[in-house]
Amino acid sequence: MTVAERRTSPIRFEVLARAGEGSRARAGRLETPHGVVETPIFMPVGTHATVKTLDPDDLREVGATIVLSNTYHLSIRPGHERIARLGGLHRFMAWDRPILTDSGGFQVVSLGGMRRVTEEGVRFRSHLDGTLIDYTPEHATAVQEALGSDIAVCLDEPVPPGSSSREEVAAATERTHRWARRCLDAHTRPEQALFGIIQGGLEPDLRTSSTRAISELPFDGICIGGLAGDETPAQRRAALDVVIPLLEDDPRPRYLMGLGSPMDLLDAVDAGVDMFDSVLPARVARNATLWVPGGRINIRNARYLDDPRPVQDDCPCRLCRSFSRAYLAHLMRADEMLGYRLATCHNLTFTLDFMSKIRSSIRAGTFSRTMQELRATRAGTQSAESGLEGRVQSE
Amino acid sequence: MTVAERRTSPIRFEVLARAGEGSRARAGRLETPHGVVETPIFMPVGTHATVKTLDPDDLREVGATIVLSNTYHLSIRPGHERIARLGGLHRFMAWDRPILTDSGGFQVVSLGGMRRVTEEGVRFRSHLDGTLIDYTPEHATAVQEALGSDIAVCLDEPVPPGSSSREEVAAATERTHRWARRCLDAHTRPEQALFGIIQGGLEPDLRTSSTRAISELPFDGICIGGLAGDETPAQRRAALDVVIPLLEDDPRPRYLMGLGSPMDLLDAVDAGVDMFDSVLPARVARNATLWVPGGRINIRNARYLDDPRPVQDDCPCRLCRSFSRAYLAHLMRADEMLGYRLATCHNLTFTLDFMSKIRSSIRAGTFSRTMQELRATRAGTQSAESGLEGRVQSE
């Protein structure tokens, strides 16, 4: 019996309501050492221990209850041991609510130049200075323990779901399982939760065996990895419809990594997912795209230069309650940092408000109707946008 | 009798206390259409209708009671007529406190490529797209009326004080006087104050005649121009000691354009100046220099990477109350926008707090002692820094 098998979970997850009516959507409550998170939830991404352009007050104002930070980036700069000496990640970034750190697997595989994956781990060159780095399950676990996040995630080996061969997917999935056990064995911090990651690409049988392999282990939550990449929405949904039924009686939260466009979030909630993260809302904001109920606004369009209206009527965000479209259009053209911050505040407010509407409707037993209404407004962006952006889990 | 000579001032200035003891420092109260400003005051600069990296809540939090915005930049982008259609500059930038707009003279003379100064005005090419622009006293006045600032400033022809010949200074000074009268004649907005600008370089007799010429006209306030450039602090003080005694019985506020380092501000207050502006505190902040009572901190220095202390103990700013030097050092190295904003919040809080200390001491009759103490701490930067930066009145 390993340490992991004996441990008591530092988090508590409770399903409060189920949508029913043919939907697997559910509303829940996740208690963590730094506070409660209502699910389904979207986590803004703070790659360098800051959600780009925002401060912690902004994050609270947009409605964030939990943020994700990137293990790989922080381990390289400023260094996880430095953050530990400074009192941990919460104190470092002055965020007193829950933090989930990702495993680093996606970044290591996507950012690392000259990488080589072996059974031991991943050897690659730092994206900053080219230093050779050995990233192993044990190292990823130690980094996250040093950071002191509420929820740590196992190192995995994700592969592009739509463009990988069955052999590649199978090998990466099997290795992910072995690494998951090594992460569990390496993990020692009792007040930190640890989530395992299901792989299996778009192959139903591999998804099935991966779901079984990961859910058998004493993780505190289950990540669904290897999606939100180059697959189609239908392929993603098919994979979820393999995974989620197998977890029907599993009491743990389900987290789909890297998904961020509102319509994609809605569909994954319907499939039974509880947690999400992506840089998408913030990144498109910095590129001058504002999400609104009718679709989206590209504020660089000349028509907005004289538009005195807010970006979205009745939006409570810092942008919409004080400023016109014309002012934001001016700030973007003048490359003023305030513009990027205001646009980010808006898109994150939009996204978190969208999730809040979904939660309320599940609890009220009206999810099916709300889903129809939200789809009808074509809120925010379609899958096409997240597809173009690829999986965007750090920046 | 021109319109200007008949007008009633839309602002009211009252001297509340004088330092005495050989100092000409004074504490005053300036009432404007958008609120009261206590003097001596420092005005943060919002070149593109935003003080770089800050929003209006940040500005209130750092203690700003009035901001300066740049007439020239706004006239080119987004355009003063557009801002007028959108309800004026206050509404455009969501700043409900006083705004002073500069004349554009400094920018026209320093930024304009291929400029040609004639009696009519300045013809130059836009720094954005090369368009030919005729900038005249009448145009500068019309632009500021369209912006709707509380205080407008006459178009002048500044020349570098330390490196211009007497003939150049004399010609520019005489032209500035003629343009001042044209601005007065052109000005029609009764709720907007208009300030005239004294020139005269470092020549005592030209400063004297310019002070007399400008103070004879019915302006609402007196700017002291052509300083905060390439002169030494001693040369600047000598020029002020010519100008200010001539204004001894003048009831209007005195505004020295373009000065921003704390020691320079202190000396100019001692000489009898009431109002200041500069981009310096914000610009050096974005370059990672933080002003503190003991001097300054370059947060890019490696020693701060592990420093858990705030930049300045007991500082109430957004940076110091939540974050360590180590976190700011990390943000700057990662080129994260939050770092530039936090550093700007700090330097502006420092500067405005410095001015507040000066005001209190004048009212309490302890200015001389406070001046000695502030000089002893070598607070912030010395003239050398503002000299290196040159006159920095827009960005």
PDB file of all heavy atoms in Angstrom, chain A residues 48-49 52 55 57 77 82 85 92 306 318 327 330 336 341, chain B residues 48-49 52 55 57 82 85 92 306 318 327 330 336 341:
ATOM      1  N   HIS A  48       2.355  33.258 -15.531  1.00  0.00           N
ATOM      2  CA  HIS A  48       3.517  33.727 -14.763  1.00  0.00           C
ATOM      3  C   HIS A  48       3.106  34.255 -13.391  1.00  0.00           C
ATOM      4  O   HIS A  48       3.589  35.297 -12.953  1.00  0.00           O
ATOM      5  CB  HIS A  48       4.246  34.842 -15.530  1.00  0.00           C
ATOM      6  CG  HIS A  48       4.777  34.411 -16.857  1.00  0.00           C
ATOM      7  ND1 HIS A  48       4.430  35.036 -18.028  1.00  0.00           N
ATOM      8  CD2 HIS A  48       5.615  33.408 -17.198  1.00  0.00           C
ATOM      9  CE1 HIS A  48       5.048  34.436 -19.037  1.00  0.00           C
ATOM     10  NE2 HIS A  48       5.766  33.455 -18.573  1.00  0.00           N
ATOM     11  N   ALA A  49       2.198  33.553 -12.724  1.00  0.00           N
ATOM     12  CA  ALA A  49       1.719  33.983 -11.412  1.00  0.00           C
ATOM     13  C   ALA A  49       1.000  35.324 -11.503  1.00  0.00           C
ATOM     14  O   ALA A  49       0.985  36.113 -10.557  1.00  0.00           O
ATOM     15  CB  ALA A  49       2.853  34.044 -10.379  1.00  0.00           C
ATOM     16  N   LYS A  52      -2.736  37.593 -17.100  1.00  0.00           N
ATOM     17  CA  LYS A  52      -2.178  38.720 -17.857  1.00  0.00           C
ATOM     18  C   LYS A  52      -3.051  39.970 -17.788  1.00  0.00           C
ATOM     19  O   LYS A  52      -4.237  39.904 -18.070  1.00  0.00           O
ATOM     20  CB  LYS A  52      -1.965  38.329 -19.318  1.00  0.00           C
ATOM     21  CG  LYS A  52      -0.675  37.530 -19.514  1.00  0.00           C
ATOM     22  CD  LYS A  52      -0.214  37.509 -20.958  1.00  0.00           C
ATOM     23  CE  LYS A  52       0.964  36.557 -21.116  1.00  0.00           C
ATOM     24  NZ  LYS A  52       2.112  36.890 -20.262  1.00  0.00           N
ATOM     25  N   ASP A  55      -4.896  42.319 -11.758  1.00  0.00           N
ATOM     26  CA  ASP A  55      -4.408  42.137 -10.395  1.00  0.00           C
ATOM     27  C   ASP A  55      -5.449  41.313  -9.626  1.00  0.00           C
ATOM     28  O   ASP A  55      -6.530  41.017 -10.152  1.00  0.00           O
ATOM     29  CB  ASP A  55      -4.106  43.496  -9.730  1.00  0.00           C
ATOM     30  CG  ASP A  55      -5.350  44.282  -9.399  1.00  0.00           C
ATOM     31  OD1 ASP A  55      -6.444  43.707  -9.308  1.00  0.00           O
ATOM     32  OD2 ASP A  55      -5.245  45.504  -9.229  1.00  0.00           O
ATOM     33  N   ASP A  57      -7.512  42.039  -7.270  1.00  0.00           N
ATOM     34  CA  ASP A  57      -8.810  42.703  -7.125  1.00  0.00           C
ATOM     35  C   ASP A  57      -9.627  42.576  -8.413  1.00  0.00           C
ATOM     36  O   ASP A  57     -10.840  42.368  -8.370  1.00  0.00           O
ATOM     37  CB  ASP A  57      -8.626  44.199  -6.783  1.00  0.00           C
ATOM     38  CG  ASP A  57      -8.212  44.407  -5.335  1.00  0.00           C
ATOM     39  OD1 ASP A  57      -8.343  43.456  -4.525  1.00  0.00           O
ATOM     40  OD2 ASP A  57      -7.755  45.510  -5.001  1.00  0.00           O
ATOM     41  N   ARG A  77      10.992  30.150 -14.264  1.00  0.00           N
ATOM     42  CA  ARG A  77      11.098  31.557 -13.849  1.00  0.00           C
ATOM     43  C   ARG A  77       9.871  31.933 -13.069  1.00  0.00           C
ATOM     44  O   ARG A  77       8.802  31.852 -13.640  1.00  0.00           O
ATOM     45  CB  ARG A  77      11.270  32.482 -15.076  1.00  0.00           C
ATOM     46  CG  ARG A  77      11.477  33.943 -14.687  1.00  0.00           C
ATOM     47  CD  ARG A  77      11.708  34.815 -15.901  1.00  0.00           C
ATOM     48  NE  ARG A  77      10.547  34.800 -16.788  1.00  0.00           N
ATOM     49  CZ  ARG A  77      10.521  35.318 -18.007  1.00  0.00           C
ATOM     50  NH1 ARG A  77      11.587  35.875 -18.510  1.00  0.00           N
ATOM     51  NH2 ARG A  77       9.422  35.280 -18.736  1.00  0.00           N
ATOM     52  N   ARG A  82      12.298  29.243  -5.179  1.00  0.00           N
ATOM     53  CA  ARG A  82      12.231  30.660  -4.773  1.00  0.00           C
ATOM     54  C   ARG A  82      10.819  30.990  -4.262  1.00  0.00           C
ATOM     55  O   ARG A  82      10.660  31.624  -3.221  1.00  0.00           O
ATOM     56  CB  ARG A  82      12.594  31.543  -5.965  1.00  0.00           C
ATOM     57  CG  ARG A  82      12.310  33.007  -5.756  1.00  0.00           C
ATOM     58  CD  ARG A  82      12.924  33.852  -6.847  1.00  0.00           C
ATOM     59  NE  ARG A  82      14.356  33.960  -6.685  1.00  0.00           N
ATOM     60  CZ  ARG A  82      15.248  33.854  -7.668  1.00  0.00           C
ATOM     61  NH1 ARG A  82      14.847  33.639  -8.904  1.00  0.00           N
ATOM     62  NH2 ARG A  82      16.521  33.993  -7.420  1.00  0.00           N
ATOM     63  N   ARG A  85      10.378  29.625  -0.843  1.00  0.00           N
ATOM     64  CA  ARG A  85      11.058  30.441   0.174  1.00  0.00           C
ATOM     65  C   ARG A  85      10.277  31.712   0.476  1.00  0.00           C
ATOM     66  O   ARG A  85      10.320  32.252   1.580  1.00  0.00           O
ATOM     67  CB  ARG A  85      12.463  30.842  -0.318  1.00  0.00           C
ATOM     68  CG  ARG A  85      13.496  29.733  -0.260  1.00  0.00           C
ATOM     69  CD  ARG A  85      14.917  30.300  -0.401  1.00  0.00           C
ATOM     70  NE  ARG A  85      15.153  31.009  -1.652  1.00  0.00           N
ATOM     71  CZ  ARG A  85      15.527  30.430  -2.800  1.00  0.00           C
ATOM     72  NH1 ARG A  85      15.686  29.120  -2.862  1.00  0.00           N
ATOM     73  NH2 ARG A  85      15.728  31.159  -3.886  1.00  0.00           N
ATOM     74  N   PHE A  92       2.855  34.788  -2.905  1.00  0.00           N
ATOM     75  CA  PHE A  92       3.661  35.438  -3.945  1.00  0.00           C
ATOM     76  C   PHE A  92       2.787  36.313  -4.838  1.00  0.00           C
ATOM     77  O   PHE A  92       3.100  37.467  -5.096  1.00  0.00           O
ATOM     78  CB  PHE A  92       4.359  34.353  -4.762  1.00  0.00           C
ATOM     79  CG  PHE A  92       5.345  34.841  -5.779  1.00  0.00           C
ATOM     80  CD1 PHE A  92       6.449  35.586  -5.405  1.00  0.00           C
ATOM     81  CD2 PHE A  92       5.188  34.527  -7.129  1.00  0.00           C
ATOM     82  CE1 PHE A  92       7.377  36.016  -6.348  1.00  0.00           C
ATOM     83  CE2 PHE A  92       6.108  34.949  -8.075  1.00  0.00           C
ATOM     84  CZ  PHE A  92       7.199  35.700  -7.681  1.00  0.00           C
ATOM     85  N   ASP A 306     -16.579  55.857 -33.233  1.00  0.00           N
ATOM     86  CA  ASP A 306     -17.519  56.900 -32.816  1.00  0.00           C
ATOM     87  C   ASP A 306     -18.700  56.332 -32.042  1.00  0.00           C
ATOM     88  O   ASP A 306     -19.725  56.992 -31.901  1.00  0.00           O
ATOM     89  CB  ASP A 306     -18.028  57.649 -34.057  1.00  0.00           C
ATOM     90  CG  ASP A 306     -16.993  58.601 -34.597  1.00  0.00           C
ATOM     91  OD1 ASP A 306     -16.666  59.564 -33.870  1.00  0.00           O
ATOM     92  OD2 ASP A 306     -16.489  58.384 -35.708  1.00  0.00           O
ATOM     93  N   ARG A 318     -15.572  46.283 -15.407  1.00  0.00           N
ATOM     94  CA  ARG A 318     -14.853  47.562 -15.334  1.00  0.00           C
ATOM     95  C   ARG A 318     -14.889  48.316 -16.653  1.00  0.00           C
ATOM     96  O   ARG A 318     -14.930  49.543 -16.689  1.00  0.00           O
ATOM     97  CB  ARG A 318     -13.404  47.268 -14.929  1.00  0.00           C
ATOM     98  CG  ARG A 318     -12.490  48.463 -14.790  1.00  0.00           C
ATOM     99  CD  ARG A 318     -11.206  48.099 -14.072  1.00  0.00           C
ATOM    100  NE  ARG A 318     -11.488  47.814 -12.688  1.00  0.00           N
ATOM    101  CZ  ARG A 318     -11.565  48.747 -11.736  1.00  0.00           C
ATOM    102  NH1 ARG A 318     -11.328  50.020 -12.017  1.00  0.00           N
ATOM    103  NH2 ARG A 318     -11.869  48.421 -10.507  1.00  0.00           N
ATOM    104  N   TYR A 327     -13.889  54.646 -26.705  1.00  0.00           N
ATOM    105  CA  TYR A 327     -12.697  54.808 -25.876  1.00  0.00           C
ATOM    106  C   TYR A 327     -11.816  53.565 -25.967  1.00  0.00           C
ATOM    107  O   TYR A 327     -10.598  53.655 -26.129  1.00  0.00           O
ATOM    108  CB  TYR A 327     -13.098  55.064 -24.422  1.00  0.00           C
ATOM    109  CG  TYR A 327     -11.926  55.355 -23.503  1.00  0.00           C
ATOM    110  CD1 TYR A 327     -11.148  56.488 -23.686  1.00  0.00           C
ATOM    111  CD2 TYR A 327     -11.616  54.495 -22.453  1.00  0.00           C
ATOM    112  CE1 TYR A 327     -10.067  56.758 -22.840  1.00  0.00           C
ATOM    113  CE2 TYR A 327     -10.549  54.754 -21.606  1.00  0.00           C
ATOM    114  CZ  TYR A 327      -9.778  55.891 -21.803  1.00  0.00           C
ATOM    115  OH  TYR A 327      -8.712  56.157 -20.970  1.00  0.00           O
ATOM    116  N   HIS A 330     -10.021  53.506 -29.185  1.00  0.00           N
ATOM    117  CA  HIS A 330      -8.892  54.443 -29.140  1.00  0.00           C
ATOM    118  C   HIS A 330      -7.702  53.832 -28.396  1.00  0.00           C
ATOM    119  O   HIS A 330      -6.560  53.881 -28.858  1.00  0.00           O
ATOM    120  CB  HIS A 330      -9.346  55.748 -28.474  1.00  0.00           C
ATOM    121  CG  HIS A 330      -8.215  56.619 -28.021  1.00  0.00           C
ATOM    122  ND1 HIS A 330      -7.341  57.205 -28.903  1.00  0.00           N
ATOM    123  CD2 HIS A 330      -7.808  56.979 -26.778  1.00  0.00           C
ATOM    124  CE1 HIS A 330      -6.436  57.905 -28.218  1.00  0.00           C
ATOM    125  NE2 HIS A 330      -6.692  57.781 -26.933  1.00  0.00           N
ATOM    126  N   GLU A 336      -2.387  51.237 -25.733  1.00  0.00           N
ATOM    127  CA  GLU A 336      -2.328  51.579 -24.313  1.00  0.00           C
ATOM    128  C   GLU A 336      -2.696  50.356 -23.472  1.00  0.00           C
ATOM    129  O   GLU A 336      -3.712  49.704 -23.711  1.00  0.00           O
ATOM    130  CB  GLU A 336      -3.297  52.729 -24.007  1.00  0.00           C
ATOM    131  CG  GLU A 336      -2.805  54.085 -24.489  1.00  0.00           C
ATOM    132  CD  GLU A 336      -1.682  54.649 -23.608  1.00  0.00           C
ATOM    133  OE1 GLU A 336      -1.431  54.115 -22.506  1.00  0.00           O
ATOM    134  OE2 GLU A 336      -1.055  55.646 -24.047  1.00  0.00           O
ATOM    135  N   ARG A 341      -6.205  45.538 -20.462  1.00  0.00           N
ATOM    136  CA  ARG A 341      -6.763  45.159 -19.159  1.00  0.00           C
ATOM    137  C   ARG A 341      -8.289  45.234 -19.177  1.00  0.00           C
ATOM    138  O   ARG A 341      -8.975  44.312 -18.724  1.00  0.00           O
ATOM    139  CB  ARG A 341      -6.192  46.081 -18.070  1.00  0.00           C
ATOM    140  CG  ARG A 341      -6.804  45.841 -16.699  1.00  0.00           C
ATOM    141  CD  ARG A 341      -6.011  46.541 -15.590  1.00  0.00           C
ATOM    142  NE  ARG A 341      -6.779  46.615 -14.368  1.00  0.00           N
ATOM    143  CZ  ARG A 341      -7.172  47.744 -13.787  1.00  0.00           C
ATOM    144  NH1 ARG A 341      -6.803  48.922 -14.291  1.00  0.00           N
ATOM    145  NH2 ARG A 341      -7.891  47.723 -12.697  1.00  0.00           N
TER     146      ARG A 341
ATOM    147  N   HIS B  48      -2.543  59.992 -23.989  1.00  0.00           N
ATOM    148  CA  HIS B  48      -3.602  59.494 -24.887  1.00  0.00           C
ATOM    149  C   HIS B  48      -4.923  59.315 -24.150  1.00  0.00           C
ATOM    150  O   HIS B  48      -5.623  58.323 -24.344  1.00  0.00           O
ATOM    151  CB  HIS B  48      -3.180  58.154 -25.497  1.00  0.00           C
ATOM    152  CG  HIS B  48      -1.943  58.218 -26.331  1.00  0.00           C
ATOM    153  ND1 HIS B  48      -0.833  57.450 -26.087  1.00  0.00           N
ATOM    154  CD2 HIS B  48      -1.630  58.986 -27.396  1.00  0.00           C
ATOM    155  CE1 HIS B  48       0.105  57.733 -26.982  1.00  0.00           C
ATOM    156  NE2 HIS B  48      -0.349  58.657 -27.782  1.00  0.00           N
ATOM    157  N   ALA B  49      -5.267  60.268 -23.280  1.00  0.00           N
ATOM    158  CA  ALA B  49      -6.504  60.183 -22.493  1.00  0.00           C
ATOM    159  C   ALA B  49      -6.474  58.992 -21.551  1.00  0.00           C
ATOM    160  O   ALA B  49      -7.515  58.423 -21.210  1.00  0.00           O
ATOM    161  CB  ALA B  49      -7.745  60.160 -23.399  1.00  0.00           C
ATOM    162  N   LYS B  52      -0.647  56.303 -18.491  1.00  0.00           N
ATOM    163  CA  LYS B  52      -0.227  54.974 -18.956  1.00  0.00           C
ATOM    164  C   LYS B  52      -0.313  53.912 -17.858  1.00  0.00           C
ATOM    165  O   LYS B  52       0.225  54.098 -16.771  1.00  0.00           O
ATOM    166  CB  LYS B  52       1.198  55.014 -19.506  1.00  0.00           C
ATOM    167  CG  LYS B  52       1.251  55.538 -20.927  1.00  0.00           C
ATOM    168  CD  LYS B  52       2.560  55.214 -21.623  1.00  0.00           C
ATOM    169  CE  LYS B  52       2.617  55.892 -22.979  1.00  0.00           C
ATOM    170  NZ  LYS B  52       1.498  55.546 -23.878  1.00  0.00           N
ATOM    171  N   ASP B  55      -6.114  53.106 -14.541  1.00  0.00           N
ATOM    172  CA  ASP B  55      -7.494  53.472 -14.812  1.00  0.00           C
ATOM    173  C   ASP B  55      -7.898  54.584 -13.834  1.00  0.00           C
ATOM    174  O   ASP B  55      -7.104  54.939 -12.954  1.00  0.00           O
ATOM    175  CB  ASP B  55      -8.412  52.243 -14.721  1.00  0.00           C
ATOM    176  CG  ASP B  55      -8.603  51.746 -13.299  1.00  0.00           C
ATOM    177  OD1 ASP B  55      -8.381  52.514 -12.343  1.00  0.00           O
ATOM    178  OD2 ASP B  55      -8.985  50.588 -13.131  1.00  0.00           O
ATOM    179  N   ASP B  57      -9.860  54.677 -11.292  1.00  0.00           N
ATOM    180  CA  ASP B  57      -9.831  54.265  -9.876  1.00  0.00           C
ATOM    181  C   ASP B  57      -8.398  54.264  -9.346  1.00  0.00           C
ATOM    182  O   ASP B  57      -8.141  54.675  -8.218  1.00  0.00           O
ATOM    183  CB  ASP B  57     -10.439  52.863  -9.697  1.00  0.00           C
ATOM    184  CG  ASP B  57     -11.962  52.887  -9.803  1.00  0.00           C
ATOM    185  OD1 ASP B  57     -12.549  53.987  -9.719  1.00  0.00           O
ATOM    186  OD2 ASP B  57     -12.556  51.807  -9.974  1.00  0.00           O
ATOM    187  N   ARG B  82     -13.952  64.307 -32.536  1.00  0.00           N
ATOM    188  CA  ARG B  82     -14.553  63.034 -32.122  1.00  0.00           C
ATOM    189  C   ARG B  82     -14.804  63.034 -30.610  1.00  0.00           C
ATOM    190  O   ARG B  82     -15.873  62.626 -30.142  1.00  0.00           O
ATOM    191  CB  ARG B  82     -13.630  61.894 -32.519  1.00  0.00           C
ATOM    192  CG  ARG B  82     -14.008  60.558 -31.915  1.00  0.00           C
ATOM    193  CD  ARG B  82     -13.205  59.426 -32.528  1.00  0.00           C
ATOM    194  NE  ARG B  82     -13.689  59.121 -33.868  1.00  0.00           N
ATOM    195  CZ  ARG B  82     -12.914  58.868 -34.914  1.00  0.00           C
ATOM    196  NH1 ARG B  82     -11.604  58.926 -34.797  1.00  0.00           N
ATOM    197  NH2 ARG B  82     -13.449  58.584 -36.085  1.00  0.00           N
ATOM    198  N   ARG B  85     -17.790  65.097 -29.844  1.00  0.00           N
ATOM    199  CA  ARG B  85     -19.051  64.392 -30.170  1.00  0.00           C
ATOM    200  C   ARG B  85     -19.387  63.351 -29.109  1.00  0.00           C
ATOM    201  O   ARG B  85     -20.554  63.056 -28.847  1.00  0.00           O
ATOM    202  CB  ARG B  85     -18.938  63.685 -31.531  1.00  0.00           C
ATOM    203  CG  ARG B  85     -19.037  64.593 -32.733  1.00  0.00           C
ATOM    204  CD  ARG B  85     -19.288  63.795 -34.021  1.00  0.00           C
ATOM    205  NE  ARG B  85     -18.254  62.830 -34.337  1.00  0.00           N
ATOM    206  CZ  ARG B  85     -17.123  63.094 -35.013  1.00  0.00           C
ATOM    207  NH1 ARG B  85     -16.891  64.329 -35.460  1.00  0.00           N
ATOM    208  NH2 ARG B  85     -16.244  62.143 -35.260  1.00  0.00           N
ATOM    209  N   PHE B  92     -15.059  60.900 -21.934  1.00  0.00           N
ATOM    210  CA  PHE B  92     -14.332  59.938 -22.772  1.00  0.00           C
ATOM    211  C   PHE B  92     -13.428  59.058 -21.921  1.00  0.00           C
ATOM    212  O   PHE B  92     -13.420  57.835 -22.054  1.00  0.00           O
ATOM    213  CB  PHE B  92     -13.517  60.719 -23.806  1.00  0.00           C
ATOM    214  CG  PHE B  92     -12.818  59.878 -24.837  1.00  0.00           C
ATOM    215  CD1 PHE B  92     -13.532  59.045 -25.693  1.00  0.00           C
ATOM    216  CD2 PHE B  92     -11.434  59.947 -24.994  1.00  0.00           C
ATOM    217  CE1 PHE B  92     -12.887  58.289 -26.662  1.00  0.00           C
ATOM    218  CE2 PHE B  92     -10.786  59.193 -25.956  1.00  0.00           C
ATOM    219  CZ  PHE B  92     -11.510  58.363 -26.794  1.00  0.00           C
ATOM    220  N   ASP B 306      14.887  37.696  -4.429  1.00  0.00           N
ATOM    221  CA  ASP B 306      14.517  36.920  -3.241  1.00  0.00           C
ATOM    222  C   ASP B 306      14.094  37.806  -2.080  1.00  0.00           C
ATOM    223  O   ASP B 306      14.043  37.349  -0.942  1.00  0.00           O
ATOM    224  CB  ASP B 306      15.704  36.037  -2.813  1.00  0.00           C
ATOM    225  CG  ASP B 306      15.857  34.832  -3.724  1.00  0.00           C
ATOM    226  OD1 ASP B 306      14.934  33.994  -3.722  1.00  0.00           O
ATOM    227  OD2 ASP B 306      16.861  34.755  -4.448  1.00  0.00           O
ATOM    228  N   ARG B 318      -0.992  50.259  -4.110  1.00  0.00           N
ATOM    229  CA  ARG B 318      -1.424  48.924  -4.541  1.00  0.00           C
ATOM    230  C   ARG B 318      -0.256  47.942  -4.604  1.00  0.00           C
ATOM    231  O   ARG B 318      -0.426  46.758  -4.340  1.00  0.00           O
ATOM    232  CB  ARG B 318      -2.085  49.060  -5.919  1.00  0.00           C
ATOM    233  CG  ARG B 318      -2.583  47.785  -6.558  1.00  0.00           C
ATOM    234  CD  ARG B 318      -3.500  48.085  -7.739  1.00  0.00           C
ATOM    235  NE  ARG B 318      -4.726  48.664  -7.256  1.00  0.00           N
ATOM    236  CZ  ARG B 318      -5.781  47.956  -6.831  1.00  0.00           C
ATOM    237  NH1 ARG B 318      -5.755  46.647  -6.877  1.00  0.00           N
ATOM    238  NH2 ARG B 318      -6.850  48.568  -6.384  1.00  0.00           N
ATOM    239  N   TYR B 327       8.218  39.704  -6.107  1.00  0.00           N
ATOM    240  CA  TYR B 327       7.141  39.519  -7.085  1.00  0.00           C
ATOM    241  C   TYR B 327       7.257  40.563  -8.194  1.00  0.00           C
ATOM    242  O   TYR B 327       7.138  40.249  -9.380  1.00  0.00           O
ATOM    243  CB  TYR B 327       5.782  39.605  -6.386  1.00  0.00           C
ATOM    244  CG  TYR B 327       4.604  39.324  -7.297  1.00  0.00           C
ATOM    245  CD1 TYR B 327       4.427  38.072  -7.873  1.00  0.00           C
ATOM    246  CD2 TYR B 327       3.668  40.315  -7.575  1.00  0.00           C
ATOM    247  CE1 TYR B 327       3.352  37.800  -8.701  1.00  0.00           C
ATOM    248  CE2 TYR B 327       2.581  40.053  -8.400  1.00  0.00           C
ATOM    249  CZ  TYR B 327       2.427  38.797  -8.962  1.00  0.00           C
ATOM    250  OH  TYR B 327       1.354  38.541  -9.790  1.00  0.00           O
ATOM    251  N   HIS B 330       9.991  39.697 -10.498  1.00  0.00           N
ATOM    252  CA  HIS B 330       9.558  38.619 -11.397  1.00  0.00           C
ATOM    253  C   HIS B 330       8.684  39.165 -12.533  1.00  0.00           C
ATOM    254  O   HIS B 330       8.889  38.847 -13.714  1.00  0.00           O
ATOM    255  CB  HIS B 330       8.800  37.563 -10.585  1.00  0.00           C
ATOM    256  CG  HIS B 330       7.983  36.628 -11.412  1.00  0.00           C
ATOM    257  ND1 HIS B 330       8.546  35.747 -12.310  1.00  0.00           N
ATOM    258  CD2 HIS B 330       6.639  36.465 -11.515  1.00  0.00           C
ATOM    259  CE1 HIS B 330       7.581  35.069 -12.916  1.00  0.00           C
ATOM    260  NE2 HIS B 330       6.421  35.487 -12.459  1.00  0.00           N
ATOM    261  N   GLU B 336       5.411  41.342 -17.709  1.00  0.00           N
ATOM    262  CA  GLU B 336       3.975  41.282 -17.436  1.00  0.00           C
ATOM    263  C   GLU B 336       3.434  42.694 -17.179  1.00  0.00           C
ATOM    264  O   GLU B 336       3.974  43.445 -16.364  1.00  0.00           O
ATOM    265  CB  GLU B 336       3.705  40.397 -16.219  1.00  0.00           C
ATOM    266  CG  GLU B 336       3.846  38.907 -16.514  1.00  0.00           C
ATOM    267  CD  GLU B 336       2.672  38.348 -17.330  1.00  0.00           C
ATOM    268  OE1 GLU B 336       1.652  39.047 -17.491  1.00  0.00           O
ATOM    269  OE2 GLU B 336       2.800  37.209 -17.820  1.00  0.00           O
ATOM    270  N   ARG B 341       2.039  48.490 -14.192  1.00  0.00           N
ATOM    271  CA  ARG B 341       0.958  49.213 -13.497  1.00  0.00           C
ATOM    272  C   ARG B 341       1.290  49.377 -12.013  1.00  0.00           C
ATOM    273  O   ARG B 341       1.142  50.471 -11.458  1.00  0.00           O
ATOM    274  CB  ARG B 341      -0.359  48.450 -13.680  1.00  0.00           C
ATOM    275  CG  ARG B 341      -1.506  49.034 -12.885  1.00  0.00           C
ATOM    276  CD  ARG B 341      -2.859  48.461 -13.320  1.00  0.00           C
ATOM    277  NE  ARG B 341      -3.879  48.754 -12.344  1.00  0.00           N
ATOM    278  CZ  ARG B 341      -4.542  47.818 -11.650  1.00  0.00           C
ATOM    279  NH1 ARG B 341      -4.309  46.539 -11.849  1.00  0.00           N
ATOM    280  NH2 ARG B 341      -5.443  48.183 -10.763  1.00  0.00           N
TER     281      ARG B 341
END
